[in-house]
Amino acid sequence: KFHIDENKYSKLADSAMYILKILNRQYSKECNGILHDVTRNNSLFPDIHGTLVSYIVMIFLTGTRSDGVCKAARTFISEYICNSGEDSAINASILEAIEGLAIAEGSNDETRNSLLHLCFLIPSYAKY
């Protein structure tokens, strides 16, 4: 297992939860507008995507996760998929990161495959 500083892990979990809460709150208030814009914004996309993927990496490497964050991701996914139909307000890569977070487990093949797919911003990692 990979050891990580608890304080940093906690801060990353808090950041991931904050993102999920904002996305959930905006999704429950509207019909696609802000979620579409926020998750596709060139300044925000890397931060949102990077935070969610970083948290998945932490889970994968340490085997430790905040069930609150993963549960929030599962809840968001189930509500979003049930209500969005064919129209996807959220950037597909952000949605895939949330889906990866929902199923994330330590040293798990499904989590590993999800991470390899999500690392499109780092092409050399995605090859392995």
Side-chain angles (χ1 to χ4, degrees):
K1 295 241 181 193
F2 186 81
H3 177 72
I4 199 79
D5 181 303
E6 280 295 318
N7 189 39
K8 290 179 183 176
Y9 182 83
S10 179
K11 285 181 181 181
L12 187 56
D14 290 346
S15 295
M17 182 62 95
Y18 181 75
I19 289 168
L20 291 168
K21 284 181 179 179
I22 288 174
L23 292 177
N24 193 41
R25 184 177 26 210
Q26 290 305 318
Y27 179 69
S28 65
K29 287 182 180 179
E30 54 145 290
C31 269
N32 300 341
I34 292 175
L35 285 179
H36 179 275
D37 296 344
V38 166
T39 60
R40 286 171 173 77
N41 180 288
N42 290 340
S43 298
L44 297 175
F45 172 82
D47 291 340
I48 293 170
H49 188 266
T51 300
L52 297 175
V53 172
S54 295
Y55 191 66
I56 298 169
V57 168
M58 283 262 236
I59 292 170
F60 181 74
L61 293 176
T62 66
T64 305
R65 69 183 194 176
S66 167
D67 284 333
V69 175
C70 295
K71 181 180 179 188
R74 285 190 300 274
T75 300
F76 181 82
I77 291 298
S78 66
E79 290 176 9
Y80 182 78
I81 290 174
C82 287
N83 297 319
S84 68
E86 295 296 317
D87 297 329
S88 181
I90 297 178
N91 177 290
S93 296
I94 299 290
L95 189 57
E96 288 173 2
I98 297 170
E99 290 171 335
L101 184 53
I103 56 102
E105 292 184 23
S107 301
N108 173 288
D109 286 340
E110 191 174 5
T111 303
R112 181 183 180 279
N113 291 336
S114 175
L115 282 169
L116 290 175
H117 181 73
L118 290 166
C119 287
F120 65 90
L121 292 174
I122 310 170
S124 61
Y125 287 170
K127 292 178 186 176
Y128 301 105

